[in-house]
Amino acid sequence: MRRRAVISGMGVAAGAAVLPVTSRLARAQAYPARPVRLMVGFAAGGTTDLGARLMGQWLSDRLGQQFLIENRTGAGTNIATDAVVRAPPDGYTLLVVTASNAINATLYDKLGFDFLRDIAPVAGVMRYPLVMQVNPSFPAKTVPEFISYAKSNVGKISYGSGGIGTSIQVATELFKMMTGVEMTHVPYRGGAPAMTDLMAGQVQVVFNPVPESIEFIRAGKLHPLAVTSATRSEVLPDVPALGEFVPGYEASAVQGIGAPRSTPADIIDRLNKEVNAGLTDPNLKARFADLGATVFPVSPAEFGSFMAEETEKWGKVIRFSRRKA
């Protein structure tokens, strides 16, 4: 009788131990039970928005619920980030993470959140380089020639960007920091007007994302000096990597997904699994390649470590440039 009671007690204890695991599995399998919002801090039509829509459609098809893209622009993506930080941690409001999140941690003195603390990393989606480009009439045709020309013409070189704290601006400041060249910053309300003035000869150089530059390059309207990734871009194979001339230089735009802090780990793991499945799908990979991007399949922990490294890296550049929002 006593033995039977002991065995019965062991069964209850074992059942109690298994129950939380079973509950987590059931919750993950049930998720999502309603539409999910993907918050994008940039306007519709840009590279970040297009990447979010590609991944959102994949997740909608895979999980049977709509992943709705919501563009919350303003304050350098901080409005979108703040909305996700304050959302319930249930997996139904997600953030499209970009390099701006890493940059803003130092660029802004006062934020209502701490990105690395308050946003849980979910998955990487894609990375894509910028391209250092000049007007075809510019006398320098290579990176070494540009550096030499800039050092011989101090005060005569200006660079355009989409504004203080954008990937375009900090990538250029990293170039200045590593080469010692002096260039005057001319901020615009977005990368497109900076490109327009580059073609008109109003500024001398712009570091702009490959997806937004490639048609101008192919049409001969702009001359590429280098891409900013560690290796050459598949869509511009004849254009050297900037690191070939400036050892150690690397500046790629990144896109991923984050969730409010305390989002259940099983939901994060399910999202990561489905995102990474999309990044191995040949058709979806080809769509990202059309944007000039490479897929970025990583675990939540790896994506979190990557964003922490980016935050530290761009913090150094912003302090060097002495810029603030």
Side-chain angles (χ1 to χ4, degrees), residues 8 18 36 44 91 148 152 177 179-180 185 208 210 231 235 244 248 253 270 302 306 315 319 322:
S8 177
V18 170
V36 177
S148 176
S152 300
M177 188 172 79
T179 60
H185 180 211
N208 206 47
V210 165
T231 58
V235 296
E244 294 176 31
R270 179 144 200 232
E302 289 169 334
F306 174 83
R319 286 188 288 271
R322 299 178 182 177

Side-chain angles (χ1 to χ4, degrees), residues 95-98 115-116 119-127 254-258 272 296 298-310:
L95 177 68
V96 174
V97 175
T98 68
F115 171 74
L116 293 177
I119 294 294
V122 173
V125 174
M126 66 176 179
R127 297 182 69 185
V254 64
Q255 186 168 325
I257 295 175
N272 180 268
F296 188 36
V298 289
S299 70
E302 289 169 334
F303 186 52
S305 295
F306 174 83
M307 290 305 296
E309 291 169 1
E310 288 287 283

Side-chain angles (χ1 to χ4, degrees), residues 3 6 14 21 60 79 92 108 123 128 175 187 203 211 222 226 253 286 315:
R3 181 172 178 272
V6 171
V21 176
S60 297
I79 291 176
Y92 289 95
Y108 287 81
Y128 53 91
F175 175 77
V203 292
L222 292 171

Side-chain angles (χ1 to χ4, degrees), residues 80-268:
T81 304
D82 186 69
V84 177
V85 167
R86 298 178 186 279
D90 54 11
Y92 289 95
T93 304
L94 305 174
L95 177 68
V96 174
V97 175
T98 68
S100 293
N101 295 112
I103 294 164
N104 290 346
T106 304
L107 185 67
Y108 287 81
D109 286 328
K110 293 182 180 180
L111 290 172
F113 56 84
D114 181 319
F115 171 74
L116 293 177
R117 180 195 67 200
D118 295 331
I119 294 294
V122 173
V125 174
M126 66 176 179
R127 297 182 69 185
Y128 53 91
L130 311 180
V131 56
M132 180 185 181
Q133 55 209 308
V134 296
N135 189 292
S137 64
F138 190 73
K141 305 302 181 185
T142 66
V143 171
E145 288 178 3
F146 183 93
I147 294 171
S148 176
Y149 184 88
K151 289 184 175 181
S152 300
N153 292 270
V154 177
K156 297 181 179 180
I157 303 295
S158 59
Y159 77 89
S161 85
I164 293 173
T166 58
S167 295
I168 301 172
Q169 191 253 335
V170 296
T172 314
E173 290 293 329
L174 178 61
F175 175 77
K176 288 173 57 179
M177 188 172 79
M178 296 182 70
T179 60
V181 302
E182 290 295 329
M183 295 187 287
T184 301
H185 180 211
V186 182
Y188 293 84
R189 289 184 175 273
M195 294 287 281
T196 298
D197 269 10
L198 178 63
M199 287 183 280
Q202 299 301 311
V203 292
Q204 284 67 56
V205 63
V206 173
F207 285 57
N208 206 47
V210 165
E212 298 168 16
S213 304
I214 193 163
E215 294 306 320
F216 296 117
I217 292 169
R218 287 172 174 166
K221 294 180 179 180
L222 292 171
H223 175 69
L225 300 182
V227 293
T228 63
S229 48
T231 58
R232 297 191 181 202
S233 169
E234 291 183 6
V235 296
L236 292 171
D238 297 328
V239 178
L242 192 46
E244 294 176 31
F245 311 106
V246 184
Y249 183 98
E250 192 280 330
S252 295
V254 64
Q255 186 168 325
I257 295 175
R261 180 179 59 173
S262 302
T263 298
D266 47 308
I267 291 178
I268 288 177

